[in-house]
Amino acid sequence: MDENELRTAMRATITQHSEPPPMESRTALVTARRAARRRNILACAGTAAVVLGVTLAALPGQGYLGGGTGWAPAAGPSAPAEAFPTAFPSGQVPSEENTKPSWPAEASGDATADSGVHYQKGVALLEKLIEVVPAGYIVPTGNSPDDIPFRYHQATIEDGHWVYLVSVQLVRAGRAGQILIEVHEPGHDLPADPCELAQSFWGIGGSCEKRAVRPGEEAGIVAGPSTRDGVDQWVAFQHPDDTVVFVAQGLSTNVEGGRPLESLPFTVDQLVEFASGDGFK
């Protein structure tokens, strides 16, 4: 084969084979957001925004999900989440532009709300969380020396539904732990079984037990023998309207040099009450 024949063969190979399909940005984005959310809370909920921003910067038009600090009840039902595009109009060829997710107007170019009803619900959840902190604990304001906020709230659209994440650092006698709540609005694909639901929290797993809350309703409870991923104990509950609430607490904040609490701030009964009540829905 001479040079001309080789060139002809290569051109034929290119023109006769279809272009490989573009990467589905939605799948990549959701995976990155979930990983970033976990890192955020583990860092005590501040650096999370930076980590997520960096993670998603590699994806066109992507945003991030955070980690936290504190909260309060929502004033009313949230507006329906704007769904991600799942198909292209007939005859339209996928491109970098039309494969990008469609973000709601209240999120300025990414998945995290910075205004609007969902943003305000995150603020309300944080205020509510601060209200239930037990006597004797301090909820500091501001940031740590590493610029990690002690109080955090966030609302993010994930896979077509809204997720709220709030957390606060709890300080007592020079020691610090944390409590956080994660709320998934209806439309998620989380497990229905209470223990499978609890074990799905950040993918940590753990030994689970079920506890009856009301007739026909159970909460899943996971308690580890030692701190793992910044949380020692958590409860998961799925409400009749399909809203899922996770409530987790930890003896430490994973802040370098910090001393952990000597005991967990809340009882299991209190965590179950928070998860199954209407205050954090």
Side-chain angles (χ1 to χ4, degrees):
M1 178 181 292
D2 60 23
E3 178 181 351
N4 292 329
E5 292 174 328
L6 175 60
R7 206 166 28 240
T8 301
M10 292 178 65
R11 185 180 299 109
T13 299
I14 294 174
T15 57
Q16 292 174 13
H17 290 77
S18 59
E19 182 180 353
M23 181 183 72
E24 187 181 350
S25 59
R26 173 189 172 192
T27 300
L29 173 62
V30 169
T31 301
R33 276 209 309 275
R34 285 174 177 166
R37 179 176 70 237
R38 183 178 174 188
R39 285 195 301 270
N40 293 345
I41 287 295
L42 302 189
C44 187
T47 321
V50 177
V51 173
L52 188 33
V54 172
T55 303
L56 299 180
L59 302 174
Q62 312 312 355
Y64 140 82
L65 191 104
T69 50
W71 45 329
S78 300
E82 181 176 333
F84 290 95
T86 57
F88 298 99
S90 176
Q92 182 174 334
V93 179
S95 67
E96 179 181 348
E97 287 303 317
N98 59 37
T99 56
K100 291 180 181 179
S102 177
W103 302 122
E106 60 191 286
S108 300
D110 59 24
T112 303
D114 49 24
S115 64
V117 63
H118 297 97
Y119 175 85
Q120 292 302 325
K121 180 172 180 177
V123 173
L125 288 175
L126 176 57
E127 293 172 352
K128 177 62 176 178
L129 183 58
I130 295 173
E131 289 177 3
V132 301
V133 170
Y137 289 88
I138 298 172
V139 180
T141 59
N143 297 353
S144 72
D146 296 327
D147 203 30
I148 297 173
F150 297 130
R151 307 178 179 195
Y152 188 83
H153 66 86
Q154 183 172 278
T156 303
I157 191 167
E158 177 179 311
D159 220 5
H161 74 285
W162 284 93
V163 181
Y164 305 91
L165 184 62
V166 296
S167 71
V168 295
Q169 185 174 120
L170 302 176
V171 177
R172 183 174 187 176
R175 297 172 178 269
Q178 64 179 328
I179 180 170
L180 63 93
I181 295 178
E182 182 173 290
V183 180
H184 291 251
E185 289 193 341
H188 55 77
D189 59 357
L190 295 170
D193 179 80
C195 272
E196 291 181 9
L197 179 63
Q199 291 165 335
S200 73
F201 180 63
W202 293 357
I204 300 176
S207 177
C208 175
E209 67 175 68
K210 297 178 183 179
R211 176 171 300 188
V213 176
R214 291 178 287 269
E217 298 178 2
E218 294 179 311
I221 302 169
V222 176
S226 61
T227 300
R228 179 180 179 184
D229 289 341
V231 294
D232 293 282
Q233 188 178 71
W234 61 98
V235 169
F237 184 79
Q238 185 167 2
H239 291 260
D241 68 354
D242 202 34
T243 298
V244 166
V245 179
F246 295 100
V247 183
Q249 62 179 339
L251 292 169
S252 68
T253 62
N254 282 354
V255 174
E256 185 175 354
R259 293 193 301 163
L261 295 172
E262 295 180 339
S263 60
L264 290 170
F266 298 91
T267 66
V268 172
D269 289 343
Q270 288 175 309
L271 298 187
V272 171
E273 180 182 352
F274 296 157
S276 61
D278 292 334
F280 295 108
K281 278 184 60 179

